[in-house]
Amino acid sequence: HNRAPRVGLLSIGEEEHKGNDLTRSVTPLLKALPIKFIGNVEGRDIYSGAADVVVCDGFIGNVALKVSEGMAEMMLHKISHDVMSELTHEKHVAGAAFHRVGRRYSYHESGGAPLLGVDGICMICHGSSNGHSILNALRRAVEFQDRRINPLIVEELAACPIGS
């Protein structure tokens, strides 16, 4: 699809004056880029579809990621437990469905995320990754290499009028 991604800056409120010094100092830089910057987004907007890309520093991103993983795992466990405890028949069908949902959203399935800004392909994996996770991270690294992700990023940045 050719639609420019909507880019939001993760902050504690939508108003431009909110956030810490780093967040407030990044806002004019993002505004100056030839991107579809939509301004600040809050944590609850990460999954709402308000933005296609959410920008934050590594510390905040890691906290947001781990809170999200923990919440998703807890919610899936609690919902599956509640549903399974109400069923008298067809528990195996419901159990299989919950297992599929759990696998679809597990970090083991994606394996990791690319570390951008490195001259090459570098995947960041969860500290509790298993062999399945690492294999999937390697598959994604090969996909990024085959799709020429780094050269495309370099080309786009070179075409950007900022800093030239």
Side-chain angles (χ1 to χ4, degrees):
H1 73 90
N2 292 334
R3 183 177 61 83
R6 294 164 296 146
V7 178
L9 178 61
L10 188 60
S11 188
I12 59 169
E14 293 179 4
E15 300 86 354
E16 200 171 300
H17 68 276
K18 292 202 171 175
N20 60 16
D21 291 342
L22 178 60
T23 302
R24 288 190 309 273
S25 69
V26 168
T27 298
L29 300 174
L30 290 172
K31 280 182 169 182
L33 291 173
I35 61 174
K36 191 173 184 179
F37 179 56
I38 62 169
N40 287 355
V41 295
E42 298 181 46
R44 66 173 163 244
D45 297 321
I46 292 174
Y47 304 106
S48 72
D52 301 304
V53 176
V54 177
V55 175
C56 61
D57 69 36
F59 179 82
I60 297 299
N62 196 300
V63 170
L65 175 68
K66 291 184 178 175
V67 166
S68 299
E69 288 172 351
M71 176 62 87
E73 189 175 310
M74 182 271 304
M75 291 294 294
L76 182 61
H77 177 75
K78 292 211 178 283
I79 291 169
S80 66
H81 179 269
D82 290 350
V83 169
M84 296 298 278
S85 67
E86 294 295 322
L87 292 176
T88 54
H89 305 294
E90 304 298 334
K91 281 191 175 191
H92 63 283
V93 174
F98 282 117
H99 180 72
R100 281 192 308 276
V101 169
R103 282 196 63 214
R104 180 181 305 146
Y105 296 106
S106 169
Y107 66 86
H108 293 295
E109 295 307 310
S110 62
L115 176 63
L116 302 178
V118 175
D119 187 13
I121 305 294
C122 178
M123 300 298 288
I124 301 296
C125 300
H126 206 290
S128 59
S129 292
N130 59 23
H132 182 72
S133 303
I134 301 301
L135 178 61
N136 285 333
L138 290 170
R139 286 181 177 144
R140 293 201 55 203
V142 169
E143 177 187 335
F144 290 143
Q145 183 68 34
D146 290 346
R147 291 176 57 195
R148 299 185 58 249
I149 296 298
N150 276 7
L152 290 172
I153 291 171
V154 169
E155 290 167 18
E156 288 290 325
L157 289 174
C160 183
I162 304 301
S164 50

